[in-house]
Amino acid sequence: MRGTRAAPFPPRPRPKLVLLPLLTLLFCRTRPQGSPGPLQCYGFGPLGDLNCSWEPLGDLGAPSTLYLQSQKYHSNKTWTVAVPTGQSWVTIPREQLTTSDELLVWVAKAGQPLWPPVFVNLETRMKPDAPQLYPDVDFSEDDPLEATVQWAPPVWPPHKVLVCQFYYRRCQEMAWTLLEPELKSIPLTPVDIQDLELATGYEVSGRCQVEKEEDLWSEWSPILSFQTPPSAPKDVWISGNICGAPGGQEPLLLWKASGHCVQVSYRVWFQIKDQEVNQEETPCCSFSIPTQAEWAGVSAVNATSWEPPTNLSLACLGPGFAPHGVVVSSIPASSDLLVTWQQGSGELQEHVVDWARDGDPLEDLNWVWLPPGNLSAVLPGDFEGGVPYQITVTAVSPWGLAPAPSVWKFREELVPLAGPMLWRLQDAPPGTPAVAWGEVPRHQLRGHLTHYTLCAQSGTRPSVCMNVSGSTRTITLPDLHWGTCELWVTASTIAGQGPPGPSLHFHLPDNTLKWKVLPVVFLIWGLLLTGCGVSLATSGRCVHLRHKVLPHWVWEKVPDPANSNFSLPHMKEVPQAQPPGDSPILEVEEIEQVPITEAPQASAPLDSGYEKHFLPTPEELGLLGTPQAPGYGRNQPQEGRGVLI
């Protein structure tokens, strides 16, 4: 039986109008059997009571009366049934009626008919019970999948035929599908449902009617729910950096469950090089596999015989096979993203585009498979503005995978939520501060970074800011003013500049050139003054200054042994020469030389602890320039001779 789409419960067809000449004499017009109008009458089953109902009256306080008139066995016999006030239905027991009789029924109020009478054939105007559906459902052993449902009609006289309709729908759907053709109780045939999906839940329900009463259907049977056999997932992918640097997190094998509304257990297969195939049972829909696995597959437990496992080769192909030129762009007036790329070398059959929010776990990866030759994809989903998404395009072949470098995309770039954190580095050179800052996390950056802005404020001076390239995160600051300094950095996207990050405070000593040179200048100036003073004091033009400035042991010609570090015991102090002035006139007496007859004994040298000097000459004593005494020239000592004072 093949199905056609229908409303949840199709409307009942209108009955054929049958006019009775006899009723024309009594009323202007008569409704056909049962009538879909205000008044309806039918029996419950082949031997049930007669039920009549009508639309509620506007005046609930006025009583109404139901009239029945026999048209077959008791011609023109009429009897009435009182209706309680406010009630719009009444039941006539079967014992008060004659089998197979034909009745004319109408409702009157205060003796006035409310609607035209209806004709009721007690032999056919009956509403059967609902059919019964058996829970055992059989499925075909080949594709396409078919289901066979056994059923039983309601209890009915064997010589009378019932016509039954059956509807089915897939789980989570609202509309029902009518199975055609309609089935009859004689001969009884099962319900066949074709073109079903594996691993999917379905619902079936049916109703019946007397063959000639097209507008009087039974109630719907209780819904029968069943599940088709499980199947291997058709959509399998790998999450994680399978072809990246080793040592990372183990990849996660992901798959999308086939069918709907069915709990299926799966079996995961994988193989590591030179090892046996491993298999593990797991629920839906992820399984962690070793990084060294060369291939993996997924199958369903108790799957049909014609459903093979879904395999995926995990070998990494060369970068030449990977797609290139990946471009991700936003679609105007839509929350979707458009991805385009160029195909790599090699005869690769398919492409997979996967995407995930920044920071999401591996199992939250989304992906879509694309047929060969398709080099673009529209990623469905509610992509939010300011949220980073990592998008990867991978070429897939039976021999392995070739992923392109991932691309970070923002559907809409927004202003950053935070700024980077600063820290101080070692001064280079000393006294010149150097700082560095970290990256702003993508979820706080909310866009592609265009540049940083570094701001500095020294003391009460206004802050000064400068833009820094987005690839720079260290900088030296040679022009900072000494004193207390405050630094902060902001990040910017094309949407604008974000707030500043945490500030960095430090104290910078005065490192200007004048404070470095001033001590040197003072030192040189002091040395110059000292040198000048010494030179002036030791020159002949400043004798008086020499006596006042320098100590006497510096300017005296004959050093004082007392200023020496060495002295002899019982040394008598030699009187010092008087300064120039009233100097006495010295009489020099020439001593006659005595001939030496024998070599004198060498006397022991006197070590006074200081250098030997000649006694001061008259010129040094200031005698030059004074009148010479008589006999001065005669008494002048000759060279090499001593002078006795």
Side-chain angles (χ1 to χ4, degrees):
M1 299 178 67
R2 293 191 176 273
T4 57
R5 306 299 287 180
F9 295 105
R12 298 173 178 140
R14 293 181 177 274
K16 298 179 181 179
L17 298 179
V18 181
L19 300 179
L20 299 178
L22 179 61
L23 297 179
T24 307
L25 301 176
L26 300 176
F27 298 94
C28 297
R29 56 179 178 170
T30 303
R31 290 188 177 272
Q33 266 210 87
S35 172
L39 177 61
Q40 296 185 17
C41 293
Y42 55 86
F44 288 102
L47 300 175
D49 298 336
L50 180 66
N51 178 74
C52 293
S53 59
W54 55 91
E55 293 179 353
L57 302 176
D59 186 5
L60 300 179
S64 55
T65 305
L66 179 70
Y67 292 86
L68 299 95
Q69 187 180 72
S70 175
Q71 301 294 315
K72 185 176 181 179
Y73 298 116
H74 308 283
S75 180
N76 297 329
K77 179 182 179 182
T78 303
W79 64 95
T80 61
V81 177
V83 180
T85 302
Q87 185 172 300
S88 58
W89 58 271
V90 69
T91 299
I92 298 94
R94 184 66 183 181
E95 294 79 10
Q96 299 180 10
L97 303 176
T98 303
T99 303
S100 301
D101 197 359
E102 297 176 355
L103 302 176
L104 199 65
V105 183
W106 69 93
V107 177
K109 183 177 181 180
Q112 297 295 328
L114 297 178
W115 306 284
V118 295
F119 179 75
V120 179
N121 187 343
L122 296 181
E123 187 176 1
T124 60
R125 190 63 182 174
M126 291 177 290
K127 183 177 181 179
D129 293 333
Q132 181 181 3
L133 298 174
Y134 295 113
D136 295 333
V137 180
D138 298 326
F139 299 98
S140 61
E141 296 295 333
D142 54 0
D143 195 19
L145 182 63
E146 296 183 4
T148 300
V149 181
Q150 303 294 334
W151 67 287
V155 178
W156 205 253
H159 62 282
K160 295 181 179 180
V161 179
L162 295 177
V163 178
C164 298
Q165 289 181 345
F166 293 92
Y167 290 78
Y168 82 100
R169 68 180 178 184
R170 194 179 67 180
C171 65
Q172 298 179 346
E173 289 186 351
M174 298 299 297
W176 291 81
T177 300
L178 173 64
L179 293 172
E180 295 179 345
E182 296 176 344
L183 300 181
K184 295 184 178 181
S185 58
I186 302 174
L188 185 63
T189 57
V191 179
D192 292 331
I193 309 175
Q194 301 176 355
D195 299 329
L196 299 180
E197 300 178 15
L198 290 170
T200 304
Y202 288 92
E203 296 177 339
V204 183
S205 184
R207 62 180 182 175
C208 297
Q209 68 173 3
V210 179
E211 188 174 15
K212 297 181 180 180
E213 298 290 336
E214 297 182 355
D215 65 324
L216 190 59
W217 289 96
S218 69
E219 300 296 332
W220 289 97
S221 67
I223 294 177
L224 172 64
S225 299
F226 65 92
Q227 296 178 354
T228 56
S231 67
K234 301 297 185 296
D235 202 348
V236 179
W237 189 233
I238 192 76
S239 178
N241 193 12
I242 186 65
C243 293
Q249 185 177 0
E250 286 190 344
L252 200 64
L253 189 68
L254 303 176
W255 62 91
K256 297 177 182 178
S258 301
H260 305 82
C261 313
V262 175
Q263 295 290 336
V264 180
S265 295
Y266 296 91
R267 184 176 288 110
V268 176
W269 312 72
F270 63 91
Q271 184 178 23
I272 302 176
K273 186 177 181 180
D274 300 331
Q275 296 185 13
E276 296 182 355
V277 177
N278 299 275
Q279 57 175 319
E280 298 285 345
E281 287 193 13
T282 179
C284 191
C285 290
S286 63
F287 186 82
S288 179
I289 60 175
T291 307
Q292 301 82 8
E294 295 182 340
W295 66 270
V298 184
S299 63
V301 178
N302 300 326
T304 56
S305 58
W306 71 84
E307 279 287 317
T310 302
N311 296 329
L312 180 66
S313 176
L314 302 179
C316 294
L317 304 179
F321 294 91
H324 58 276
V326 179
V327 177
V328 184
S329 56
S330 301
I331 300 177
S334 174
S335 61
D336 299 339
L337 294 178
L338 175 64
V339 185
T340 58
W341 63 92
Q342 299 178 15
Q343 184 172 341
S345 61
E347 297 181 358
L348 300 175
Q349 296 184 355
E350 296 176 292
H351 289 88
V352 175
V353 182
D354 61 66
W355 68 96
R357 292 170 59 118
D358 183 28
D360 281 356
L362 295 179
E363 56 267 20
D364 290 346
L365 183 73
N366 301 280
W367 72 92
V368 57
W369 283 77
L370 300 169
N374 198 335
L375 302 180
S376 64
V378 176
L379 305 185
D382 188 14
F383 292 95
E384 302 177 12
V387 176
Y389 293 89
Q390 186 178 20
I391 301 172
T392 307
V393 182
T394 305
V396 183
S397 75
W399 305 278
L401 311 175
S406 298
V407 176
W408 288 97
K409 177 62 179 177
F410 297 83
R411 185 183 67 84
E412 179 185 2
E413 298 200 23
L414 303 177
V415 176
L417 294 176
M421 177 176 291
L422 271 169
W423 62 87
R424 189 174 179 181
L425 303 177
Q426 184 177 2
D427 292 358
T432 301
V435 294
W437 56 89
E439 290 185 346
V440 179
R442 287 190 183 94
H443 67 277
Q444 292 183 330
L445 190 60
R446 304 204 299 175
H448 294 287
L449 178 68
T450 57
H451 64 276
Y452 294 106
T453 301
L454 175 63
C455 297
Q457 185 176 17
S458 299
T460 58
R461 295 182 178 89
S463 60
V464 179
C465 298
M466 59 181 295
N467 291 336
V468 183
S469 171
S471 60
T472 301
R473 295 210 308 275
T474 59
I475 193 172
T476 57
L477 304 170
D479 299 329
L480 283 181
H481 294 281
W482 61 275
T484 302
C485 297
E486 180 183 4
L487 301 179
W488 65 90
V489 179
T490 63
S492 298
T493 64
I494 61 174
Q497 183 178 3
S503 298
L504 176 64
H505 297 268
F506 59 90
H507 183 79
L508 187 65
D510 190 359
N511 57 355
T512 57
L513 183 61
K514 63 179 182 179
W515 293 109
K516 293 181 179 179
V517 175
L518 192 58
V520 179
V521 172
F522 284 152
L523 178 61
I524 295 176
W525 181 251
L527 293 176
L528 289 176
L529 290 179
T530 304
C532 291
V534 172
S535 63
L536 291 176
T538 56
S539 65
R541 293 172 298 176
C542 301
V543 178
H544 62 283
L545 182 62
R546 174 180 60 186
H547 294 170
K548 295 180 180 179
V549 174
L550 299 179
H552 63 87
W553 56 267
V554 174
W555 51 261
E556 63 184 0
K557 287 295 183 177
V558 179
D560 187 357
N563 296 323
S564 175
N565 293 330
F566 175 82
S567 62
L568 293 177
H570 309 290
M571 291 293 295
K572 294 183 179 180
E573 183 178 357
V574 179
Q576 297 182 1
Q578 295 296 325
D582 298 334
S583 299
I585 299 176
L586 299 179
E587 293 182 0
V588 180
E589 181 180 358
E590 185 177 355
I591 302 176
E592 295 183 0
Q593 295 183 353
V594 180
I596 302 173
T597 58
E598 59 182 0
Q601 294 182 356
S603 61
L606 178 62
D607 188 2
S608 60
Y610 53 86
E611 296 181 0
K612 296 180 179 179
H613 290 269
F614 291 106
L615 293 177
T617 61
E619 291 84 356
E620 294 175 347
L621 295 177
L623 300 180
L624 293 179
T626 57
Q628 295 183 356
Y632 174 77
R634 290 183 296 107
N635 299 329
Q636 185 176 1
Q638 298 181 0
E639 182 180 358
R641 300 177 63 179
V643 178
L644 180 62
I645 302 177

